[in-house]
Amino acid sequence: MKRKISLTLNGKAVADEVEPRLLLIHYLREVASLTGPHIGCETSTCGACTVLLDGRAVKSCAMFTVQADGRQVLTIEGLAPNGKLDPLQEAFWNEHGLQCGFCTPGMILTARQLLNDNPSPTEEEIRKGLEGNLCRCTGYQHIINAVKAAAAKQGA
Amino acid sequence: MIPQNFEYSAPATLQEALQLISGGECKVMAGGMSLIPLMKLRLAAPEHVVDLGRVPGLNSISESGGVVCIGATATHHDIESSPVIRGRVPLLAEAASHIGDVQVRNRGTLGGSIAHADPAADYPASLLALEAKVRLVSANSDRTVEAADFFLDPFTTAVESGEIVLEVLVPIEEPREGYRYEKVPHPASGFAVVGVAARIKKAGGKTTLARIGVTGTGPRAFRALAAEKLLESGADVATAAAAVAEGQETNADLYASAEYRRHLTRVWAARALTLALSRAS
Amino acid sequence: MATITSKPETLVGKRIRRREDPRLITGTATYLDDLKLPGMHHACVVRSPHAAARIKNINVKPALELPGVVAVFTGADVKEVGPVPCAAGLPGLRVPHHHILAQDRVYLVGHPVAVVVATDRYIAADAADLVEVDYQELPAVADPEKALAPGAPAVHPQWPDNVAFTFHQEGGDTAKAFQDAEVVVKQRITSQRLIPTAMETRGVVADWKAGEKSMTLWSSTQVPHLLRTLLAGMLGMPENRLRVITPEVGGAFGSKLNVYAEEALMAFISMRIGKPVKWVESRRENFLCTIHGRGHVDYFELAAMRDGTILGMKLKLIQDLGAFLQLLTPAIPTLSVLMMPGLYKFKNISADIVGAFTNCTPTDAYRGAGRPEATHGIERMVDILAAELKMDPAQIRLKNFVDNDAFPFVTATGLAYDSGNYALPLNTALAEVDYASLRREQQQARQQGKLMGVGISAYGEICAIGPSPATPAGGWESATVKIEPSGKVTVLTGTSPHGQGEETTFAQITADELGVDIDDVLVIHGDTSIVQYGIGTFGSRNTAIGGTALYYALQELKTKIKKFGAVLLDVDEVTLVGGVCVDEKSGRSVSFNQVAAAAYRALKLPPNTEPGLVATHFWEPPNFTFPFGAHIVVTDVDRETGQVSVRRYVAVDDCGKIINPLIVAGQVHGGVAQGLGQALWEQAVYADNGQLLSGELTDYALPRAHMMPWIESSHTITPSPVNPLGVKGVGEAGTIGCSPAVVNSVVDALSPLGVRHIDMPLTPEKIWKLIQEGRA
């Protein structure tokens, strides 16, 4: 039986009826047409589906949409309202923190939480903070540079 | 990968939740970090999921009478960052910070983790070392079991049909106590190949109390009682650590054979104990 | 007329942020699974849980009865489609017929048996569970050496010895080299099976338009044109009515350099149901059904003189092929043999390859494709020889390197190395780490009982693959440059980049050559209806071959621009400076945009010149390119646990000229991460019955951020004479250089315990056991 849900998605109130088994990632991608978050595994290992739930990074492939009822969800599409890039987006671009780009939306949102919690993380803290996000292209080094650069810019 | 369909309930009160599950035939979900991946792989296909995520107050963390009381739906992040837990039972905060990754810690809960009882989960080692208790309630019962009696077998606990984990009760650590949680994370899953939680109290340069909980090594987490006794009777760390896996069944997998796991348990027990000793005053 | 003659800053060689990134960092790029077409259906494939079994019966009825299910197909329906092609040819090669759905037998876990089509992906998944397949299990074999042993279960019953091919290559006089040798070292060295694990799994959308008798097929592939040609053949449809589009591709690393059963299957389904259909691989399917890499067992012998001079090599190479031959499966080990001499000048080699069928996922090209295996082998063997002779591993390499004046150098395997200065990156890296003091530190550490290692690899690789005679499907590349009437420039490249950054580097080259603003250049790829035929992206070929095709197309256009400029200025000759045509005598000039407009307005055409400004160039390279470099790795091994930690990673790579240092650094880092993954963590593990035990990301350990060391990367620059850009390629260098440096480092750390070789991955338990044995 479908259930009614309402949530705040990238700052806008939305309401829908969904099957309880509908994973949040599928709701975002198929129903809400927000294809920024990606699916890279089914074991909640890769982090490509990461979104912010009430400001904290979560893997949207390991949540049912009904669990997000009444909550705030932010996807990568909501990070740059009015086209103004978040310092992290800008830094990933400047520092070549991405190659194929598949992991990037999740990586940026996890980094967003990291910088919210800890505005000037060390390299070790960045590495630890991103341990839930796999990247197969970059070897992570430019991602770390990007997070450092964004931290520096935010702090400035 | 896609879960099978199920009926979903999100009770708004504890009473409602307990009524719903009193019939048995349902699966209780808290954060869903263990259950949802299993459902996606169709290794679990419950017909009815009861989500405790909306029961108010079930995630509270408080202290009274020398005991820290942690609600079942407190997340790992709540626990690693809670001032009460960091101040009063820092061993548990340290253990929580080792679980999974940031995203998992934001969703996963203490109650969900211990009820799932993965033999490689992080909490059990600390809960055993802290001599914590688990409070289980059903529509018509309310009982408290020792952590040592809670973890029975892989994915099997003392929770009976109709019961849920309500809260975990942890006696506070004395400020002068030394503590440490050390873990060998599996490089792919992040679960504990071996995890050792150690608590040490000293008086007059002697170890007066030693508590050692071990996870990952065997089919269920255990207290290393022989090693504790050795320390309390004046043995050095090396001697105690050598006895840490004594008499225990040992797991084996692609990453670590039983022999190597036993060895790792001894090494990391020694390292955890050394650090705990150095922190004790 | 304008008189601006200032030349804009050149962009080639500059650190320029990528032009593909804005869509990627905002989540607005379109990957395969982001496609939504009206009326699109979803397919879910039913796969074998057994590695070998006879299919006794398939009951699709319960699946068909589920509301929302529109069709279920089995092997009988698609008997005439295909087979899945193998493009690599070797003498006597046994190619099993590779149907797109199993017929009466399955050969590996994950073998597709049936496909369910439904209106929704959730229903398709439910229905797939309802397909009842009755199997009779058969014995399986999952290890190549066991497969070759007498009495092993036959993967394909018609070939009971499980041998797909044998291949022999000989150069020089190996028998004499071994006769003359004062010392011979031997070692069995494996390069374990790896799972490429692009973060985006494969996926296909097929859309058949019956009225137009045409198909559009989106696939997450590295080779859209090759896929079109081969798929048209599989489907029996005219190639010009099949359009292949490559959307944004989320990584590939060779695993999407292929033609897969599901591509033909989705096309077949769309034709049968008359609707678009989508299939996206799960990660579990990706681990089982997308090609694996490596899978070597190599028996090496190296002959040398006591002074360290290497005389020759003997090699027996057993390649684990898996159950079927995918596009290039049997070709990969032949690439290994070609690269076996590494950077060394010895001229005698004798190599035998045996390709063995196993009931496992087919192996094929994975980052480096044959070359990491070769480099790992030769670089391990050189260290083993150095240990035997008690020589320093750096010195023995310097002694045997091809001399700087010997280029082009023809190797024992018949390659002609284009250019090199092999001692330079090694000496640079040695200086970077302060090698002498590292060795002193190591001595002190050993006295304290600590296990510290220093490992060197000096690698070479074959890039810019490659000249057409050396490839199964053509090794050239194409480019079209269109200067539009407004002066905007469109580049169509036959390569199919998916993270390598050619939308940026090709725009840099174009902007420099034409003298236009880089923002006026757009690089398009990955659509067979828009882009002229191309080969695709693999083998570090994009810039060296695709970039060169672009370069020559630009030269043609520059000539034509100047002709139009001369006509506009009414002179015989002009120069093209900064996009402006200048009459040097009068100083008068005409702007780029004016020339572009005039070329299309065509009021006045230069003699023998057509209107328009479009040029297409197909460039056939005369040779491969041969990048090289040296990596040095310092490790510490925990004596108690066997855990390896990488203290320093220094990479000095020479990939010829560099178009964009930011992108090159990214390629090196990513390559090293995959090399380190192989060295320390990654391994596809099969049970004897053919079950993949490391079948999910929770078992198969990819490097994560906290597992990676900081990579100190720098470059020496030895231009390639093979192409006018002087570039060589860098996509695979990090991977190729990495694993032997890591293993050499750890073996060096353990050498006081008598350890002389360890096979990858260097798991803590493996090392701990060696330490225990060393103590005994």
Side-chain angles (χ1 to χ4, degrees):
Chain A
M1 200 181 73
K2 287 197 171 183
R3 291 180 66 96
K4 286 187 176 165
I5 53 149
S6 58
L7 58 152
T8 306
L9 186 51
N10 292 337
K12 288 190 189 123
V14 294
D16 261 303
E17 281 198 10
V18 299
E19 271 189 356
R21 68 165 167 169
L22 182 68
L23 295 164
L24 180 59
I25 184 68
H26 285 137
Y27 174 77
L28 295 171
R29 293 177 48 82
E30 314 267 327
V31 181
S33 293
L34 294 167
T35 55
H38 297 137
I39 302 170
C41 72
E42 49 268 2
T43 48
S44 70
T45 321
C46 79
C49 64
T50 299
V51 300
L52 298 185
L53 180 75
D54 294 338
R56 301 210 63 83
V58 300
K59 291 176 180 173
S60 63
C61 78
M63 263 189 85
F64 296 118
T65 312
V66 289
Q67 291 176 286
D69 186 21
R71 309 189 62 173
Q72 302 211 20
V73 175
L74 186 88
T75 71
I76 190 74
E77 289 94 336
L79 193 60
N82 315 318
K84 172 141 178 55
L85 294 180
D86 184 273
L88 273 161
Q89 290 172 308
E90 192 78 36
F92 269 67
W93 189 6
N94 289 335
E95 300 297 329
H96 189 29
L98 60 148
Q99 289 177 29
C100 82
F102 197 77
C103 74
T104 309
M107 195 68 81
I108 288 177
L109 286 173
T110 305
R112 183 69 269 155
Q113 184 203 304
L114 174 69
L115 291 190
N116 289 350
D117 289 355
N118 180 358
S120 50
T122 62
E123 180 190 327
E124 198 187 336
E125 286 167 338
I126 296 170
R127 289 186 186 274
K128 168 94 176 143
L130 297 177
E131 71 186 329
N133 293 75
L134 282 171
C135 170
R136 191 61 157 161
C137 292
T138 63
Y140 304 98
Q141 195 148 312
H142 281 164
I143 292 176
I144 288 157
N145 287 346
V147 176
K148 279 186 193 162
K153 194 177 174 195
Q154 276 184 196
Chain B
M1 300 281 276
I2 287 148
Q4 287 181 26
N5 231 327
F6 54 88
E7 191 189 330
Y8 173 78
S9 306
T13 67
L14 181 62
Q15 277 350 67
E16 196 190 326
L18 296 176
Q19 282 305 325
L20 275 167
I21 64 171
S22 63
E25 303 308 305
C26 66
K27 184 76 193 169
V28 177
M29 177 173 75
M33 289 295 98
S34 306
L35 181 62
I36 295 174
L38 289 176
M39 289 175 71
K40 287 169 70 182
L41 295 168
R42 300 204 168 188
L43 297 172
E47 289 184 3
H48 185 189
V49 172
V50 175
D51 180 359
L52 298 183
R54 293 182 193 277
V55 176
L58 200 55
N59 63 346
S60 67
I61 297 170
S62 61
E63 181 200 347
S64 73
V67 172
V68 174
C69 175
I70 308 165
T73 59
T75 64
H76 312 321
H77 171 72
D78 292 339
I79 291 169
E80 68 177 329
S81 59
S82 152
V84 172
I85 293 177
R86 292 168 73 100
R88 297 303 201 178
V89 279
L91 175 60
L92 195 65
E94 192 164 280
S97 73
H98 280 88
I99 297 172
D101 51 49
V102 174
Q103 294 97 316
V104 167
R105 292 196 292 278
N106 281 337
R107 289 293 297 163
T109 66
L110 173 62
S113 173
I114 65 170
H116 182 59
D118 190 310
D122 291 291
Y123 281 130
S126 308
L127 295 178
L128 288 168
L130 289 162
E131 297 173 279
K133 294 182 172 67
V134 183
R135 188 171 162 203
L136 303 171
V137 294
S138 73
N140 47 25
S141 72
D142 184 342
R143 64 191 180 111
T144 300
V145 300
E146 300 284 342
D149 300 324
F150 181 83
F151 300 105
L152 300 179
D153 265 313
F155 309 102
T156 309
T157 67
V159 179
E160 287 180 3
S161 175
E163 278 186 326
I164 61 162
V165 173
L166 180 72
E167 59 193 12
V168 175
L169 307 163
V170 191
I172 64 170
E173 296 174 57
E174 284 177 21
R176 295 158 61 85
E177 233 178 84
Y179 64 90
R180 182 66 171 180
Y181 180 63
E182 288 279 9
K183 166 187 185 180
V184 180
H186 186 280
S189 70
F191 274 90
V193 176
V194 163
V196 182
R199 286 171 63 208
I200 296 287
K201 282 188 211 177
K202 284 195 295 203
K206 286 186 180 165
T207 297
T208 56
L209 176 139
R211 292 291 178 268
I212 306 169
V214 180
T215 191
T217 303
R220 72 195 76 78
F222 59 86
R223 277 262 302 274
L225 296 168
E228 291 175 3
K229 283 216 180 67
L230 281 167
L231 283 168
E232 288 167 0
S233 54
D236 62 10
V237 164
T239 310
V244 80
E246 216 167 74
Q248 295 291 339
E249 267 183 82
T250 314
N251 295 334
D253 59 20
L254 285 180
Y255 186 76
S257 68
E259 183 197 6
Y260 181 58
R261 233 187 195 85
R262 271 195 300 279
H263 170 73
L264 281 181
T265 309
R266 292 190 285 262
V267 170
W268 287 98
R271 292 179 183 182
L273 285 167
T274 303
L275 229 130
L277 273 163
S278 75
R279 280 174 171 178
S281 53
Chain C
M1 303 247 164
T3 52
I4 311 153
T5 54
S6 70
K7 192 170 187 258
E9 188 188 15
T10 55
L11 299 173
V12 167
K14 297 261 162 42
R15 182 191 195 275
I16 289 177
R17 64 182 188 172
R18 293 199 317 174
R19 308 172 64 70
E20 32 283 84
D21 287 359
R23 63 179 187 264
L24 300 169
I25 55 176
T26 52
T28 51
T30 304
Y31 294 87
L32 190 285
D33 197 16
D34 303 341
L35 293 167
K36 241 188 209 180
L37 302 182
M40 189 169 75
H41 283 55
H42 295 264
C44 185
V45 180
V46 179
R47 297 184 183 276
S48 169
H50 306 297
R54 199 161 284 127
I55 300 173
K56 290 163 71 182
N57 187 47
I58 303 178
N59 180 14
V60 303
K61 200 161 166 278
L64 270 173
E65 283 169 356
L66 192 72
V69 173
V70 302
V72 182
F73 299 105
T74 66
D77 299 301
V78 296
K79 203 170 181 177
E80 304 307 320
V81 182
V84 178
C86 173
L90 289 171
L93 180 67
R94 292 164 167 175
V95 184
H97 194 93
H98 189 174
H99 288 280
I100 65 170
L101 287 176
Q103 297 296 303
D104 53 357
R105 193 180 165 114
V106 292
Y107 296 84
L108 71 159
V109 175
H111 198 150
V113 170
V115 61
V116 172
V117 189
T119 49
D120 166 287
R121 73 169 69 190
Y122 278 49
I123 296 171
D126 290 345
D129 276 1
L130 297 174
V131 175
E132 295 165 355
V133 188
D134 190 4
Y135 296 99
Q136 182 195 346
E137 255 195 277
L138 297 168
V141 62
D143 174 276
E145 288 191 291
K146 285 181 186 164
L148 295 175
V155 176
H156 298 280
Q158 66 272 36
W159 301 313
D161 60 3
N162 290 321
V163 174
F165 68 93
T166 58
F167 182 84
H168 178 74
Q169 183 159 359
E170 180 106 29
D173 188 343
T174 312
K176 183 169 186 307
F178 275 74
Q179 248 168 28
D180 294 346
E182 292 170 346
V183 58
V184 172
V185 287
K186 302 180 184 186
Q187 184 63 46
R188 176 185 187 271
I189 296 175
T190 61
S191 283
Q192 78 273 30
R193 250 183 193 265
L194 300 175
I195 305 181
T197 325
M199 290 321 300
E200 181 205 34
T201 59
R202 288 187 296 120
V204 186
V205 173
D207 185 14
W208 168 250
K209 297 267 190 268
E212 300 163 19
K213 288 195 169 53
S214 72
M215 173 89 67
T216 304
L217 185 126
W218 290 261
S219 180
S220 181
T221 183
Q222 298 171 235
V223 284
H225 282 96
L226 296 182
L227 175 60
R228 184 188 72 176
T229 301
L230 292 165
L231 199 56
M234 291 171 80
L235 299 165
M237 73 178 290
E239 182 177 9
N240 56 355
R241 290 180 177 274
L242 174 59
R243 176 184 189 182
V244 172
I245 301 176
T246 308
E248 203 79 57
V249 172
F253 315 111
S255 72
K256 298 171 182 174
L257 159 54
N258 228 305
V259 176
Y260 284 100
E262 293 87 357
E263 289 164 325
L265 190 56
M266 292 311 118
F268 166 84
I269 292 170
S270 184
M271 290 169 99
R272 286 291 287 266
I273 68 170
K275 300 275 186 194
V277 64
K278 180 196 276 187
W279 168 79
V280 175
E281 195 180 50
S282 70
R283 181 57 65 190
R284 173 76 182 161
E285 285 179 297
N286 178 258
F287 273 26
L288 292 171
C289 309
T290 290
I291 61 102
H292 290 179
R294 319 285 190 261
H296 267 223
V297 181
D298 298 332
Y299 291 85
F300 284 101
E301 294 181 43
L302 203 59
M305 302 304 281
R306 289 237 149 253
D307 69 356
T309 305
I310 302 169
L311 301 179
M313 173 192 274
K314 286 186 200 166
L315 165 66
K316 185 185 172 196
L317 188 170
I318 297 162
Q319 172 72 50
D320 178 355
L321 299 169
F324 290 102
L325 305 181
Q326 283 282 352
L327 195 64
L328 301 171
T329 301
I332 307 304
T334 64
L335 262 178
S336 300
V337 169
L338 282 180
M339 203 63 242
M340 271 310 165
L343 300 183
Y344 309 111
K345 57 191 164 196
F346 69 88
K347 285 277 198 172
N348 308 298
I349 189 166
S350 172
D352 286 287
I353 307 176
V354 184
F357 287 119
T358 56
N359 291 102
C360 301
T361 301
T363 53
D364 204 319
Y366 165 58
R367 202 167 191 167
R371 291 153 289 161
E373 298 90 315
T375 303
H376 194 75
I378 181 69
E379 288 303 283
R380 283 295 306 121
M381 289 308 292
V382 168
D383 256 35
I384 289 168
L385 177 65
E388 177 75 22
L389 299 174
K390 299 191 166 46
M391 279 183 76
D392 182 90
Q395 288 312 313
I396 198 168
R397 285 177 169 82
L398 291 165
K399 183 176 183 67
N400 284 285
F401 280 155
V402 172
D403 298 315
N404 284 355
D405 58 7
F407 294 95
F409 177 80
V410 177
T411 69
T413 53
L415 298 171
Y417 288 175
D418 57 344
S419 62
N421 181 351
Y422 296 160
L424 184 59
L426 179 54
N427 283 326
T428 307
L430 291 168
E432 186 73 24
V433 298
D434 192 355
Y435 187 64
S437 75
L438 260 187
R439 288 293 180 198
R440 281 195 298 276
E441 185 187 344
Q442 184 183 38
Q443 279 312 312
Q444 288 164 0
R446 281 178 179 168
Q447 280 160 17
Q448 295 161 11
K450 288 183 187 157
L451 302 173
M452 168 190 165
V454 182
I456 296 170
S457 91
Y459 73 91
E461 55 164 334
I462 312 174
C463 282
I465 292 174
S468 294
T471 63
W476 45 267
E477 198 44 88
S478 70
T480 293
V481 182
K482 303 193 284 186
I483 298 172
E484 313 290 1
S486 59
K488 303 292 179 192
V489 183
T490 308
V491 173
L492 310 175
T493 173
T495 66
S496 194
H498 43 278
Q500 297 87 349
E502 276 73 16
E503 290 177 35
T504 304
T505 47
F506 284 10
Q508 289 175 257
I509 293 168
T510 303
D512 273 9
E513 289 298 320
L514 296 180
V516 298
D517 191 320
I518 192 169
D519 289 334
D520 287 339
V521 183
L522 179 68
V523 179
I524 291 175
H525 53 84
D527 184 337
T528 62
S529 285
I530 295 176
V531 179
Q532 73 291 339
Y533 207 94
I535 300 297
T537 291
F538 54 88
S540 302
R541 67 191 306 279
N542 273 8
T543 310
I545 311 182
T548 302
L550 169 63
Y551 175 85
Y552 283 120
L554 289 165
Q555 304 316 309
E556 285 173 37
L557 270 187
K558 279 160 69 176
T559 305
K560 198 168 178 183
I561 289 167
K562 284 193 268 188
K563 283 186 187 172
F564 274 103
V567 166
L568 287 176
L569 292 171
D570 204 16
V571 295
D572 290 340
E573 205 175 77
V574 294
T575 53
L576 180 62
V577 182
V580 178
C581 289
V582 184
D583 171 26
E584 297 285 355
K585 285 182 193 148
S586 66
R588 288 184 310 134
S589 66
V590 59
S591 77
F592 191 82
N593 288 359
Q594 287 169 310
V595 171
Y600 286 92
R601 184 67 185 85
L603 292 176
K604 203 173 168 192
L605 293 175
N608 305 318
T609 303
E610 296 164 14
L613 285 173
V614 178
T616 297
H617 194 95
F618 281 56
W619 189 63
E620 170 64 28
N623 190 4
F624 302 103
T625 60
F626 297 89
F628 55 93
H631 291 199
I632 298 184
V633 177
V634 185
T635 56
D636 297 294
V637 177
D638 183 333
R639 192 179 265 276
E640 278 189 306
T641 65
Q643 186 75 44
V644 173
S645 48
V646 176
R647 191 201 301 177
R648 276 192 84 177
Y649 197 109
V650 172
V652 182
D653 299 290
D654 194 320
C655 58
K657 284 197 179 163
I658 290 172
I659 309 288
N660 186 330
L662 193 58
I663 288 174
V664 166
Q667 291 294 315
V668 171
H669 299 158
V672 168
Q674 290 185 10
L676 204 63
Q678 172 163 23
L680 296 181
W681 304 293
E682 297 180 36
Q683 183 170 27
V685 182
Y686 280 92
D688 284 343
N689 67 359
Q691 292 293 333
L692 179 62
L693 300 175
S694 53
E696 279 286 1
L697 278 170
T698 44
D699 306 302
Y700 186 88
L702 297 183
R704 290 177 179 272
H706 66 286
M707 295 153 80
M708 285 297 299
W710 190 260
I711 300 156
E712 301 168 51
S713 168
S714 63
H715 296 272
T716 61
I717 294 176
T718 307
S720 173
V722 174
N723 60 66
L725 300 171
V727 299
K728 291 197 169 189
V730 72
E732 297 156 294
T735 306
I736 292 169
C738 177
S739 72
V742 175
V743 177
N744 285 345
S745 182
V746 174
V747 170
D748 183 48
L750 300 180
S751 61
L753 300 169
V755 173
R756 91 176 206 150
H757 177 71
I758 317 171
D759 274 325
M760 301 180 288
L762 306 179
T763 59
E765 175 161 11
K766 210 184 270 180
I767 292 170
W768 173 71
K769 282 188 171 150
L770 287 170
I771 294 170
Q772 298 307 104
E773 286 163 17
R775 277 182 178 150

